[in-house]
Amino acid sequence: MNINRKAALVTGGASGLGAQTARELAGAGVRVTILDVNMESAESLAHELGCFAVRCDISDSASVARAIAAARNEYGSARIVVNCAGIGGTGRLLRKDGKPMALDDFSRVVQVNLIGTFDVIRQAAADMLTLEPMADGERGVIISTASIAAYEGQIGQAAYAASKGGLVSMTLPLARDLAQFGVRVMTIAPGLFMTPLMQTLPESLQESLAASVPFPKRLGKPEEFAALVLHVAENLALNGEVIRLDGALRLAPR
């Protein structure tokens, strides 16, 4: 796809990997709408980049619908959708006192990361189908953000791993569902990246985590994630696949 002047949605676009993705897309001439619950940060970044920001809580289907409609009114229906919105959450199945993990804690993570992302995909895909196919028959591309925890979830990551594993598992069937319409579906599974959350950790812990990466022996840079998003958007042959972006890291149990 020639992405110049195409419209894009970036959920979770006000910070971290989403913010850098918004920067890279905007720098490539894409008309970006930043979707986030943090409107102060979203509007600040939108002002910096000369793009559009709209509030969106991906766990609320009506909020997703309103955000997509607002973005459409601003730039037209999106041909590029990047799902970066999500939450963390840790908790062992059984606590030290033997009591089980609260079911609401598990449900919340799955509701946001998996069901919320699916809701964005289904609504954005329906909107994408109103567009005419481009010269190569493509209407657009949808890219989601999983995690290597989907493959090697650590102790206390049952909910998070399940939510990200769901994104991994549905990538191929969604790509097959949408192939007839010329819409591609891809997922990126990052390893350890220097995000705002990572920056809150003690420097010694950051260094320890970086040392666990085989090569390059450092934390991933958000620019590297964003660069891969751009390549996926532009490369028509990438479809129905999950790309690990992790420097060959395989997570240990803890």
Side-chain angles (χ1 to χ4, degrees):
M1 182 195 308
N2 179 355
I3 65 176
N4 185 48
R5 307 300 293 170
K6 304 299 189 297
L9 307 176
V10 182
T11 73
S15 64
L17 300 180
Q20 188 59 41
T21 296
R23 286 190 179 92
E24 294 289 336
L25 288 171
V30 177
R31 296 172 173 177
V32 178
T33 297
I34 297 168
L35 280 61
D36 208 291
V37 293
N38 186 339
M39 281 307 293
E40 183 177 353
S41 296
E43 289 176 342
S44 175
L45 182 60
H47 179 74
E48 172 194 331
L49 301 179
C51 59
F52 184 56
V54 60
R55 187 183 187 281
C56 180
D57 177 356
I58 67 167
S59 67
D60 179 348
S61 191
S63 178
V64 172
R66 288 192 297 269
I68 290 175
R72 183 195 314 119
N73 290 337
E74 187 72 15
Y75 292 136
S77 296
R79 289 195 185 272
I80 303 166
V81 177
V82 187
N83 291 300
C84 291
I87 59 174
T90 58
R92 297 192 182 209
L93 178 64
L94 298 177
R95 300 187 327 209
K96 289 183 178 180
D97 61 7
K99 293 183 179 179
M101 176 184 185
L103 187 58
D104 285 348
D105 292 344
F106 185 93
S107 298
R108 172 63 178 161
V109 175
V110 172
Q111 177 65 45
V112 175
N113 293 352
L114 178 56
I115 299 175
T117 298
F118 178 81
D119 193 18
V120 173
I121 292 172
R122 75 182 185 93
Q123 294 197 49
D127 196 52
M128 205 176 283
L129 261 59
T130 65
L131 296 166
E132 289 296 318
M134 292 175 283
D136 51 18
E138 183 181 20
R139 279 191 169 91
V141 60
I142 299 169
I143 305 166
S144 296
T145 307
S147 165
I148 60 171
Y151 303 97
E152 303 108 30
Q154 295 181 297
I155 290 171
Q157 285 190 325
Y160 185 73
S163 68
K164 296 300 187 177
L167 296 180
V168 167
S169 294
M170 72 182 185
T171 300
L172 180 58
L174 289 180
R176 288 171 166 171
D177 282 354
L178 295 176
Q180 62 182 312
F181 305 112
V183 175
R184 295 183 290 124
V185 180
M186 289 287 294
T187 296
I188 300 171
L192 300 177
F193 271 71
M194 182 55 80
T195 61
L197 179 60
M198 184 69 75
Q199 290 172 337
T200 66
L201 299 178
E203 187 172 343
S204 59
L205 180 53
Q206 292 182 34
E207 292 173 354
S208 175
L209 291 171
S212 68
V213 181
F215 187 82
K217 199 162 282 295
R218 58 167 172 78
L219 299 174
K221 299 177 181 179
E223 294 86 349
E224 293 166 332
F225 176 89
L228 181 55
V229 169
L230 261 66
H231 180 72
V232 170
E234 293 174 332
N235 192 329
L236 190 65
L238 288 172
N239 190 20
E241 186 56 270
V242 181
I243 301 174
R244 290 183 64 131
L245 189 64
D246 59 14
L249 175 64
R250 298 298 181 266
L251 295 175
R254 68 178 76 207

